């Protein structure tokens, strides 16, 4: 039943979660989606119904009248303001249940293909300090919390912390972040203190002036630490002063680097990093395999869960000695190198040149000689000609970005018909769409969702597809 008016509903219960962190409310049969990261099913809220579409409406929560009994106490003092771990108020078991359900719903509603029983979602053993990479931003436009505004105190406008969602110039200063283990918090505090004491300006994101812009911290399970400072001017004296002081305080840092960024955006992909101290990379390890991670390299941000994810992929792929394996969207070749020992040969394809260089280095340093990597846009490079030159794969592993695979990629997969496709996805909606296309020749054999990001609504899913008889 559809009502067509914008209206306020004084008190209504949040029914359930939906995809992408939204929640569902039902008013007399009308389905209303609301931005729901700060609510919990069972909460009673005051709601503005703002848009009515053909099959559903959209709304905005104006106030929470009553908390659900399912809620738990968030562990971080920045909860509710920070864009990070938005599901801290939901018990972890419920988060997992919800993620599993999301995968199921998307695969059945969008994909409409026959599904096997799911292997229950694999939760992350660590639900705190699970990330190996964080980026903090300097800003001269600090976000003030409601209490700070009310206090009337004189507070510095400078901050080092995380961007406030949808307010790019505003930064929330972070006191303690539960996402990355030691020495991440201490490193951030060093830069906050140093920047304040030095008098060098925190970056102004509106007029694009200042000195300190951004700091990235990377850690590994082997204890290595990489720090990358981004500054806006090339004053060697100022750069040297801060980095020397940093090394004095954190002598165990294995890789200290900086960027001089005079562009209007923080992205460093088109900049050259300068290695100041230690090596220009850190090295992660997995089952004795080494993965070299450069300043600009991609690496899965939850290392422990990445290992679990790769084991599921390897298990689902059932590779034997004679198999030619393709790893599409290979990134820095982590999966390709991880499964190489089992295969006759692995061919990886990836968009970013630098990632392909990393993938090759990762084969080299591990003495892996049966891989080859190619750079290019998948739809352009993964073609009939490519197959003629590199051989018809027996098994294909794909791990595309959120947008999923381009149609021609799915069509070529159907045409060359490998006996098995293992599809790793960070977006079950596009995975469902692609699986439906592939279902012309494939059936879904196994499904195993994995939680890489506790306290967020993000979910990863692995599906294996086998060629129908
Ligand atoms: N399997 C990798 C991660 C893959 S993330 C790992 O576990 O480390 C997805 C990758 O797809 C990214 O590296 C991205 O650069 C690449 N990519 C995105 N669009 C692409 C395209 N059109 N063609 C080729 N590669 C693409």
């Amino acid at each position: 039943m559809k009502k067509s008016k914008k209206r306020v509903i004084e008190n209504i219960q949040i029914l359930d979660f939906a995809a992408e962190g939204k929640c569902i409310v039902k008013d007399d049969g009308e389905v209303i989606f609301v931005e729901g990261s700060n609510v919990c099913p069972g909460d009673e809220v005051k709601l503005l119904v703002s848009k009515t579409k053909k099959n559903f409406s959209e709304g905005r929560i104006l106030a929470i009248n009553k908390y659900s009994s399912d809620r738990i106490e968030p562990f971080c003092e920045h909860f509710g303001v920070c864009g990070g771990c938005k599901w801290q108020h939901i018990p972890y078991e419920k988060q997992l249940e919800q993620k599993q359900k999301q995968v199921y719903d998307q695969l059945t509603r969008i994909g409409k293909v026959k599904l096997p029983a799911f292997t229950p979602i694999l939760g992350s053993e660590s639900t705190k300090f699970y990330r190996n990479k964080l980026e903090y931003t300097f800003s001269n436009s600090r976000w003030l919390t409601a209490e700070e505004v009310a206090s009337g105190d004189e507070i510095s406008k400078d901050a080092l912390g995380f961007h406030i969602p949808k307010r790019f110039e505003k930064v929330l200063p972070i006191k303690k972040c539960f996402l990355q283990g030691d020495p991440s918090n201490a490193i951030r505090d060093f830069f906050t203190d140093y920047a304040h004491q030095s008098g060098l300006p925190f970056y102004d994101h509106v007029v694009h002036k200042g000195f300190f812009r951004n700091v990235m911290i990377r850690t590994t399970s082997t204890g290595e630490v990489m720090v990358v400072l981004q500054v806006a001017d090339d004053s060697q004296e100022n750069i040297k002063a801060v980095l020397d002081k940093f090394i004095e305080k954190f002598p165990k840092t294995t890789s200290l680097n900086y960027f001089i960024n005079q562009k209007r955006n923080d992205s460093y992909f088109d900049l050259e990093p300068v290695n100041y101290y230690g090596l220009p990379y850190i090295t992660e390890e997995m089952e004795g395999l080494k993965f070299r991670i450069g300043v600009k390299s991609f690496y899965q941000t939850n290392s422990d869960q990445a290992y679990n994810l790769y084991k599921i992929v390897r298990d689902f792929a059932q590779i034997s000695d004679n198999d030619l394996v393709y790893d599409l969207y290979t990134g820095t070749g982590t999966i390709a190198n991880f499964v190489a020992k089992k295969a006759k040969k692995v061919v990886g394809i990836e968009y970013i040149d630098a990632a392909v260089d990393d993938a090759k280095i990762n084969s080299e340093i591990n003495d892996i000689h049966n891989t080859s990597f190619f750079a290019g846009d998948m739809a352009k490079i993964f073609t009939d000609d490519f197959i003629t030159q590199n051989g018809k794969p027996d098994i294909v592993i794909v791990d595309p970005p959120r947008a999923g695979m381009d149609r021609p990629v799915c069509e070529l997969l159907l045409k060359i018909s490998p006996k098995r496709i293992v599809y790793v996805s960070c977006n079950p909606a596009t995975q469902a769409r692609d699986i439906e296309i592939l279902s012309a020749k494939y059936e879904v054999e196994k499904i195993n969702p994995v939680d890489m990001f506790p306290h967020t609504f993000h979910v990863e899913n692995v599906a294996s597809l086998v060629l129908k008889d």
Side-chain angles (χ1 to χ4, degrees), residues 298-300 306 309-310 327-335 349-352 355 376-379 381 399-401 406:
F298 173 83
Y299 195 78
Q300 292 278 358
L309 177 77
Y310 297 158
D327 180 24
L328 306 186
Y329 311 90
T330 190
T332 47
T334 326
I335 296 179
I349 305 179
E350 158 64 36
Y351 195 66
I352 297 172
D377 179 8
M378 197 60 61
I381 190 167
D399 185 4
D406 287 328

Side-chain angles (χ1 to χ4, degrees), residues 47-209:
L47 189 74
L48 170 71
V49 183
S50 48
K51 251 190 219 164
T52 305
K53 299 191 175 173
K54 193 158 167 253
N55 298 316
F56 62 90
S57 303
E58 286 172 356
R60 191 155 59 81
I61 291 163
L62 300 176
I64 302 173
N65 298 334
K66 191 168 167 228
Y67 279 172
S68 159
S69 57
D70 282 341
R71 278 184 177 248
I72 53 168
E73 194 57 37
F75 49 80
C76 173
E77 69 173 288
H78 303 299
F79 176 77
V81 190
C82 177
C85 317
K86 288 187 168 174
W87 269 7
Q88 288 174 40
H89 60 305
I90 316 282
Y92 190 54
E93 282 311 309
K94 278 232 171 308
Q95 295 179 21
L96 291 178
E97 220 175 82
Q98 169 52 32
K99 292 186 190 199
Q100 166 113 354
K101 184 168 159 292
Q102 227 182 82
V103 173
Y104 182 82
D105 285 353
Q106 304 277 32
L107 290 185
T108 47
R109 276 198 211 128
I110 303 175
K112 296 195 179 68
V113 293
K114 206 169 133 250
L115 296 178
F118 279 42
T119 309
I121 184 166
L122 183 69
S124 180
E125 206 174 302
S126 318
T127 57
K128 289 177 190 154
F129 306 113
Y130 61 81
R131 280 183 70 101
N132 55 32
K133 179 180 161 195
L134 280 185
E135 277 187 59
Y136 290 105
T137 304
F138 293 87
S139 168
N140 69 351
S141 184
R142 171 190 172 136
W143 179 260
L144 293 171
T145 59
E147 297 85 64
E148 284 167 342
V149 173
S151 76
D153 293 347
E154 181 80 16
I155 296 171
S156 160
K157 289 211 166 72
D158 293 333
L160 174 59
F162 295 132
H163 285 286
I164 293 285
K166 295 183 190 142
R167 295 290 303 272
F168 79 101
E169 84 286 8
K170 293 278 179 204
V171 163
L172 175 72
I174 299 295
K175 292 197 186 126
K176 176 169 182 180
C177 177
F178 286 84
L179 279 170
Q180 189 176 31
D182 289 337
S184 179
N185 280 297
I187 289 176
R188 182 208 53 245
D189 289 348
F190 165 86
F191 282 107
T192 306
D193 294 345
Y194 185 94
H196 278 295
Q197 283 157 20
S198 70
L200 291 168
F202 287 58
Y203 200 67
D204 185 318
H205 295 261
V206 178
V207 301
H208 297 282
K209 273 205 174 112

Side-chain angles (χ1 to χ4, degrees), residues 28-44:
D28 200 12
E30 176 188 12
V31 174
I32 308 162
F33 289 104
V34 295
E35 190 50 61
S37 49
N38 58 338
V39 291
C40 175
D43 281 355
E44 290 172 23

